[in-house]
Amino acid sequence: MKTVFPKDFLWGGATSAHQIEGAYLEDGKLPCTADTLLQGFRDRFGKGYQKIDPEKYYPSHQASDFYHHYKEDIRLLHEMGLKCFRMSIAWTRIFPKGDEDEPNEKGLLFYDNVFDELLKYGIEPIVTITHYETPLHLAREYGGWRNRKLIDFYENYCQTIFTRYKNKVKYWMNFNEINTNLLLPDFGAGFHVERNDQQRNQQIYQASHHMFVASAKANYLCHKIIPNSQIGMMLAGMQSYPATCQPNDVWETIKHKNDSLFFSDVMMRGEYPFYTENLFKKLGVELRIAPGDLELMSKNPCDYLAFSYYMSNVITADEEKLTIVGNLSRGTVNPFLETSDWGWQLDPIGLKNYMVELYERYHKPLFIVENGLGAKDELVKNDGIWTVIDDYRIDYLERHIIQMKEAMEYGVELMGYTPWGCIDLISASGGQISKRYGFIYVDLDDDGIGSFNRYKKKSFEWYKQVIKTNGENLL
Ligand code: BG6
């Protein structure tokens, strides 16, 4: 049967270290910024991040305990037929404080073992270099990415992992959802700045510039050290519509989109976009650019554009109507869409539209590295076997894959698809595990109690079928 998906299409699943591994102080690891959070980013971060209170339960400290279950988990991923697995390396396992000269051998060894296990089953590792996991020491002592010194620390980290894993990992991504710096630099950029701080824009764009330079250095090193490697950027993907066809709403939407795509414009094209000067003037930003930065960036753009996609939002010129809070975004109600239990407006067709827009803008391959439905699951006994009947999840994914196919039929080049949280993990926004995305259920509750046993959900068999038929059999 003819299929739009190429033979080597990367069907997979996605995770991040702090949301799945646990073992947050094991084998020399030290805390990262996410380890200070009790309830995800609903917590107020505060300057210097919160002090870790040993009496309290921090979800990332044990997470789904992938650190001790990785063999069993990867065996299950293999059973599902996954072609690839997106994961991140915890920077703090390799450089626990972030500014050391020498890496932590035990941390390196852990990922050697994970990659070997994946490769044993022919599963391609897709590695995010850092996924909201800045070493806490770098955040507290250096002020996070506001400090140019982080470029050197990141470079040393990249040099170390590229050299160590050059025979195991071909696909890399530098920073997870880098455009979320705008809303929440606490997460990816390792610093906190109040919303009404006069210096907020200056700090955010300066930190982002440092990350752009670091990314260009990483791209250069990756290609030099690992022949045939590909390194992408990663965007929090969002389709935005104007609330009405009133030209002011349309203009607000264009600006809103450009705020977010500013990051991919720089990283995919290697230069600041045409609207930068105007934007910075309005925001009072005066970027400090060191000699050589712009040349380095222009010579080392990213190879592909990876993005997450969960929902869309609606933009209006009327500030007061911006009431809905979704995945790191604000918008107004779209009467044509359903919302998830967490208030996210679900929009499969928006995925197709967004893919076409991105491809049109950059003409480089896309990679959907996150998509999925966060939902409350119930473990039940079916024919004597514990499972979750998650038809709602199957329905969500199926509707998105259909649109993904249509975008590909239209001509968009897509490398792969890795639904988020293929094994249940800790939610980034809320710190709960009860907001589940996985095909594999992990027995753990929001207070950290559970056996950590793994159970296959109904969607497990469904996804297995999708992969086996290379996307042809969705029902
Ligand atoms: C993305 C992040 O924003 O969305 C993930 O890259 C996150 O880390 C995912 O988990 C889903 O969001 P949440 O808040 O439901 O976990």
Side-chain angles (χ1 to χ4, degrees):
M1 191 185 285
K2 197 175 163 321
T3 167
V4 65
F5 295 102
K7 253 199 348 261
D8 55 355
F9 188 77
L10 291 166
W11 294 102
T15 60
S16 79
H18 75 272
Q19 291 171 273
I20 195 169
E21 284 178 3
Y24 96 112
L25 291 181
E26 221 161 300
D27 292 331
K29 184 185 176 298
L30 288 177
C32 68
T33 48
D35 292 325
T36 65
L37 300 178
L38 290 160
Q39 340 174 58
F41 53 68
R42 276 186 306 175
D43 283 352
R44 302 205 55 234
F45 287 85
K47 276 202 166 57
Y49 297 84
Q50 300 173 23
K51 209 162 168 278
I52 296 173
D53 177 347
E55 299 300 311
K56 293 194 172 139
Y57 170 64
Y58 291 78
S60 71
H61 295 191
Q62 58 173 17
S64 309
D65 200 28
F66 178 79
Y67 198 79
H68 300 109
H69 288 75
Y70 73 89
K71 287 196 176 172
E72 174 189 352
D73 287 343
I74 293 172
R75 199 177 341 106
L76 283 166
L77 298 180
H78 165 64
E79 194 185 324
M80 227 185 336
L82 255 57
K83 308 276 185 221
C84 74
F85 179 56
R86 177 185 176 219
M87 51 180 277
S88 68
I89 293 182
W91 189 343
T92 47
R93 288 201 194 283
I94 314 300
F95 291 97
K97 288 163 73 182
D99 58 357
E100 302 90 335
D101 290 328
E102 294 306 318
N104 169 31
E105 178 55 31
K106 284 188 176 163
L108 287 167
L109 202 58
F110 170 67
Y111 294 107
D112 264 325
N113 293 338
V114 172
F115 297 145
D116 288 345
E117 200 65 18
L118 288 167
L119 295 171
K120 177 171 112 186
Y121 293 115
I123 303 175
E124 193 82 53
I126 312 285
V127 175
T128 320
I129 296 168
T130 179
H131 187 129
Y132 295 155
E133 294 151 339
T134 312
L136 190 54
H137 176 77
L138 295 187
R140 286 197 175 140
E141 301 304 319
Y142 292 85
W145 279 96
R146 284 174 297 192
N147 192 327
R148 201 177 158 96
K149 284 194 183 138
L150 263 77
I151 299 176
D152 297 337
F153 302 143
Y154 183 82
E155 191 181 3
N156 190 26
Y157 167 48
C158 287
Q159 169 95 38
T160 305
I161 55 178
F162 293 158
T163 308
R164 177 76 169 222
Y165 305 126
K166 65 177 180 209
N167 296 322
K168 303 184 182 181
V169 183
K170 246 179 22 211
Y171 297 96
W172 299 85
M173 255 169 274
N174 35 49
F175 296 98
N176 184 61
E177 299 192 325
I178 187 167
N179 51 329
T180 61
N181 282 1
L182 287 182
L183 200 67
L184 214 60
D186 314 58
F187 237 17
F191 69 91
H192 178 78
V193 56
E194 293 296 331
R195 282 201 174 273
N196 55 4
D197 191 317
Q198 302 262 312
Q199 284 298 303
R200 184 177 165 90
N201 291 320
Q202 176 65 34
Q203 292 187 10
I204 286 176
Y205 283 100
Q206 190 62 53
S208 301
H209 176 72
H210 295 152
M211 293 164 91
F212 296 149
V213 175
S215 152
K217 289 196 172 202
N219 295 355
Y220 169 76
L221 282 175
C222 186
H223 293 138
K224 190 172 113 183
I225 299 173
I226 317 176
N228 301 321
S229 58
Q230 294 198 44
I231 179 158
M233 68 143 325
M234 158 49 173
L235 202 63
M238 176 69 61
Q239 179 56 279
S240 309
Y241 306 114
T244 68
C245 46
Q246 219 246 66
N248 269 338
D249 280 345
V250 178
W251 175 232
E252 281 311 311
T253 311
I254 290 174
K255 285 191 297 171
H256 180 84
K257 283 193 178 192
N258 281 347
D259 284 349
S260 171
L261 296 179
F262 170 84
F263 292 82
S264 39
D265 281 352
V266 176
M267 296 171 87
M268 298 304 293
R269 295 178 175 145
E271 61 186 25
Y272 280 99
F274 72 92
Y275 50 87
T276 311
E277 203 181 318
N278 182 273
L279 178 75
F280 284 0
K281 203 152 73 202
K282 274 206 183 112
L283 298 175
V285 172
E286 283 180 29
L287 217 53
R288 286 184 307 279
I289 299 178
D293 282 1
L294 296 180
E295 196 189 342
L296 185 82
M297 285 158 61
S298 89
K299 285 194 173 146
N300 297 284
C302 293
D303 298 323
Y304 63 91
L305 171 50
F307 64 97
S308 59
Y309 180 88
Y310 294 93
M311 50 167 288
S312 63
N313 67 359
V314 173
I315 301 302
T316 156
D318 183 351
E319 268 282 314
E320 283 184 8
K321 288 200 184 133
L322 292 174
T323 47
I324 294 228
V325 180
N327 186 27
L328 295 155
S329 65
R330 271 184 350 129
T332 184
V333 181
N334 187 331
F336 301 103
L337 300 178
E338 304 156 36
T339 46
S340 77
D341 290 348
W342 272 265
W344 294 13
Q345 302 190 115
L346 311 181
D347 183 9
I349 297 174
L351 172 62
K352 172 175 64 188
N353 304 344
Y354 193 60
M355 287 171 71
V356 173
E357 279 180 29
L358 289 179
Y359 194 64
E360 216 166 24
R361 196 154 171 147
Y362 304 114
H363 288 278
K364 284 201 185 168
L366 305 181
F367 198 160
I368 302 172
V369 293
E370 288 186 34
N371 173 237
L373 180 70
K376 289 212 162 91
D377 286 344
E378 194 193 344
L379 197 61
V380 293
K381 231 179 195 169
N382 192 24
D383 287 339
I385 297 174
W386 288 105
T387 186
V388 175
I389 313 291
D390 54 346
D391 292 307
Y392 38 90
R393 182 166 295 112
I394 294 174
D395 180 62
Y396 175 99
L397 294 170
E398 185 197 347
R399 289 200 283 147
H400 283 79
I401 295 175
I402 289 172
Q403 296 304 320
M404 189 168 106
K405 273 171 105 167
E406 290 194 9
M408 291 171 81
E409 271 156 10
Y410 195 69
V412 172
E413 200 180 340
L414 182 69
M415 295 163 63
Y417 177 65
T418 60
W420 177 246
C422 50
I423 304 164
D424 286 346
L425 41 65
I426 304 300
S427 150
S429 56
Q432 313 112 318
I433 189 149
S434 55
K435 187 181 187 188
R436 295 173 186 272
Y437 286 88
F439 304 111
I440 298 166
Y441 184 93
V442 176
D443 175 33
L444 185 70
D445 69 16
D446 288 340
D447 299 318
I449 314 290
S451 63
F452 291 95
N453 286 342
R454 274 56 173 156
Y455 300 95
K456 295 181 240 173
K457 303 182 193 176
K458 185 175 175 187
S459 55
F460 183 101
E461 290 304 326
W462 170 82
Y463 194 43
K464 185 173 173 179
Q465 209 39 41
V466 172
I467 299 176
K468 205 166 147 197
T469 60
N470 202 15
E472 275 314 299
N473 193 354
L474 297 180
L475 301 170

